[in-house]
């Protein structure tokens, strides 16, 4: 029955795309190239560090958007980043999606799509070129994955989305179990206020105590509220929880992560602004253990700095990034950065 419903849904989606593609009256297809680069210089003041300073290109994105018809847009984005094997620059397929605007209230995307777990938080934070948003930074979720999602405009203030994705992110293929991550979110926006709640579930076979295997369901919860008091000042807070997982793509029985994030910006004018952020990450203690399982990575992070945007498409920031670890045997991290983002 489940497969039958999925098949019917796929046929309906295909017919909708076909109808949209045929409606090309008074429309001229057009495309646009885009890209951005994250560059930085940093000085590491952490006690005992060997690599004191370095110039880096942390990320480079290259993309192309093509409007096929009024209701159809194709997008592709390449992400140049490090891989798990240690190569400094590897090209990943970040986005390869077809977007269909089914109506004024419904939009469907499929392929390698952008996910929604922290998209609103990242936009409100506004400094992705300096630091990822909380869920992305600490492995609670991925910014893109293979699958399908639908966005719904419920009213002038409420919107929602639902999705089915592989669950491994855009740098990995589907796992051996062939099970997907399913989730949804609800967003409220009114004037300067935005509030969001997000949830997803994903199951996989994993080895538990005694060496036996069982299906374990991991889940992620993300809550977010932000308010723009004026064009000058904005403030936001997040609470995030990952259960039965050491990372969004690694299901592990009874391993939980949770944390808080607070951030704010004050804008002096179009070119200058100051910002600050505080993160708190913790984990649970496993049965029979005395220390939390993620102790070496638990702690408090502080980021603060000033941004200068001389022209459209260029931003630079002088900032401090510190991480105070809960593990008393480890040194706290303390770094000064000069970050640069340029777009084209």
């Amino acid at each position: 029955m489940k497969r039958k419903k999925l098949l019917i849904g796929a046929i309906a989606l295909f017919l909708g795309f076909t109808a949209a593609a045929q409606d090309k009256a008074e429309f001229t297809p057009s495309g646009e190239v885009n890209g951005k680069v994250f560059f930085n210089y940093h000085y590491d003041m952490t006690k005992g560090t060997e690599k004191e300073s370095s110039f880096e290109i942390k990320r480079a994105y290259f993309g192309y958007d093509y409007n096929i018809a009024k209701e159809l847009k194709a997008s592709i984005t390449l992400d140049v980043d490090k891989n798990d094997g240690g190569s400094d620059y590897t090209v990943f397929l970040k986005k390869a999606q077809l977007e269909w605007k089914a109506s004024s209230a419904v939009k469907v995307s499929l392929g390698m799509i952008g996910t929604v777990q922290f998209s609103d938080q990242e936009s409100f934070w506004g400094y992705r070129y300096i630091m990822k948003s909380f869920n992305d930074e600490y492995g609670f979720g991925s910014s893109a994955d293979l699958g399908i999602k639908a966005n719904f405009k419920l009213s002038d203030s409420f919107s929602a989305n639902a999705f089915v994705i592989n669950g491994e992110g855009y740098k990995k293929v589907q796992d051996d179990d062939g099970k997907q991550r399913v989730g949804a979110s609800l967003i409220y926006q009114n004037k300067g206020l935005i509030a969001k709640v997000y949830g997803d579930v994903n199951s996989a076979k994993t080895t538990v105590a005694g060496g036996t295997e069982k299906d374990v369901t991991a889940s992620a919860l993300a809550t977010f509220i932000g308010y723009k008091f004026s064009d000058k000042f904005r403030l936001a807070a997040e609470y995030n929880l990952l259960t039965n997982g050491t990372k969004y793509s690694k299901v592990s029985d009874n391993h939980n992560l949770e944390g808080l994030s607070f951030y704010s910006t004050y804008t002096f004018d179009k070119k200058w602004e100051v910002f600050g952020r505080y993160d708190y990450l913790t984990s649970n203690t496993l049965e029979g253990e005395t220390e939390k399982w993620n102790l070496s990575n638990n702690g408090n992070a502080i980021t603060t700095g000033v941004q200068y945007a001389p022209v459209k498409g260029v931003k630079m920031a002088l900032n401090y990034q510190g991480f105070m670890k809960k593990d008393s045997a480890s040194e706290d991290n303390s770094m000064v950065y000069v970050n640069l983002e340029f777009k084209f």
Side-chain angles (χ1 to χ4, degrees):
M1 181 62 72
K2 182 178 179 181
R3 290 185 177 181
K4 184 177 180 181
K5 289 182 179 178
L6 288 172
L7 179 60
I8 293 172
I11 293 172
L13 190 63
F14 171 77
L15 293 175
F17 278 132
T18 303
Q22 291 175 346
D23 183 17
K24 295 184 179 180
E26 299 180 2
F27 179 82
T28 302
S30 60
E32 181 182 28
V33 175
N34 57 79
K36 57 184 173 182
V37 177
F38 299 162
F39 168 84
N40 79 75
Y41 168 79
H42 62 267
Y43 180 76
D44 193 339
M45 299 182 292
T46 305
K47 184 178 179 181
T49 187
E50 295 181 0
K51 187 177 180 180
E52 289 188 350
S53 63
S54 178
F55 289 99
E56 289 182 314
I57 290 182
K58 294 290 289 184
R59 228 43 179 262
Y61 296 106
F62 303 95
Y64 184 72
D65 297 328
Y66 186 73
N67 295 295
I68 302 170
K70 284 184 178 181
E71 299 84 5
L72 292 176
K73 182 174 77 172
S75 301
I76 185 168
T77 299
L78 301 179
D79 176 10
V80 183
D81 187 21
K82 291 184 178 182
N83 66 22
D84 293 337
S87 175
D88 285 334
Y89 297 111
T90 300
V91 179
F92 297 94
L93 184 63
K94 177 72 178 284
K95 182 193 292 185
Q97 72 174 36
L98 183 64
E99 183 179 281
W100 171 39
K101 189 175 181 180
S103 70
S104 60
V106 181
K107 184 168 62 178
V108 179
S109 303
L110 57 81
M112 184 72 80
I113 58 176
T115 56
V116 297
Q117 182 172 356
F118 49 83
S119 54
D120 298 283
Q121 297 93 307
E122 186 176 276
S123 177
F124 199 95
W125 159 235
Y127 305 101
R128 170 62 183 84
Y129 74 106
I130 298 172
M131 178 179 282
K132 301 173 183 176
S133 60
F134 186 96
N135 285 272
D136 199 8
E137 181 72 21
Y138 303 110
F140 283 55
S142 175
S143 58
D145 207 331
L146 280 163
I148 182 170
K149 69 178 178 183
N151 297 324
F152 307 96
K153 183 178 180 181
L154 306 178
S155 68
D156 289 340
S157 299
F158 282 97
S159 60
N161 47 65
F163 61 86
V164 181
I165 56 178
N166 275 350
E168 277 67 51
Y170 64 95
K171 296 181 181 180
K172 298 180 181 179
V173 297
Q174 170 69 311
D175 60 17
D176 293 336
D177 288 340
K179 296 181 179 180
Q180 281 77 48
R181 185 185 306 274
V182 180
S185 66
L186 179 67
I187 305 103
Y188 173 81
Q189 287 182 283
N190 188 12
K191 296 181 180 179
L193 176 67
I194 177 171
K196 174 182 178 180
V197 59
Y198 164 98
D200 70 42
V201 293
N202 182 40
S203 64
K205 288 187 181 297
T206 186
T207 303
V208 296
T212 60
E213 281 194 343
K214 74 171 185 177
D215 280 330
V216 175
T217 298
S219 64
L221 170 69
T223 60
F224 162 67
I225 185 167
Y227 191 77
K228 292 183 178 180
F229 293 86
S230 65
D231 292 336
K232 296 286 187 180
F233 182 62
R234 65 179 186 264
L235 177 67
E238 298 180 37
Y239 170 73
N240 302 285
L241 175 65
L242 177 66
T243 60
N244 287 333
T246 58
K247 189 180 178 181
Y248 69 90
S249 59
K250 295 181 179 179
V251 175
S252 185
D253 191 37
N254 198 36
H255 287 68
N256 304 331
L257 284 171
E258 65 178 324
L260 299 166
S261 184
F262 303 92
Y263 38 96
S264 180
T265 294
Y266 183 82
T267 302
F268 293 99
D269 55 39
K270 291 182 179 180
K271 294 184 177 181
W272 291 95
E273 56 191 41
V274 294
F275 58 88
R277 172 171 153 183
Y278 169 79
D279 293 348
Y280 171 71
L281 177 69
T282 188
S283 57
N284 64 315
T285 301
L286 303 178
E287 186 177 351
E289 300 290 337
T290 58
E291 301 284 3
K292 296 184 177 182
W293 69 265
N294 196 44
L295 180 64
S296 60
N297 296 311
N298 291 345
N300 306 276
I302 295 176
T303 303
T304 184
V306 57
Q307 176 180 277
Y308 175 60
V311 295
K312 184 179 180 180
V314 177
K315 296 187 291 186
M316 57 189 71
L318 172 65
N319 62 97
Y320 170 80
Q321 298 180 25
F323 193 88
M324 288 64 73
K325 297 184 177 181
K326 288 295 184 182
D327 186 359
S328 58
S330 300
E331 292 290 340
D332 295 341
N333 295 334
S334 185
M335 306 183 75
V336 174
Y337 276 81
V338 177
N339 295 84
L340 171 69
E341 176 191 273
F342 55 92
K343 298 179 180 180
F344 58 87

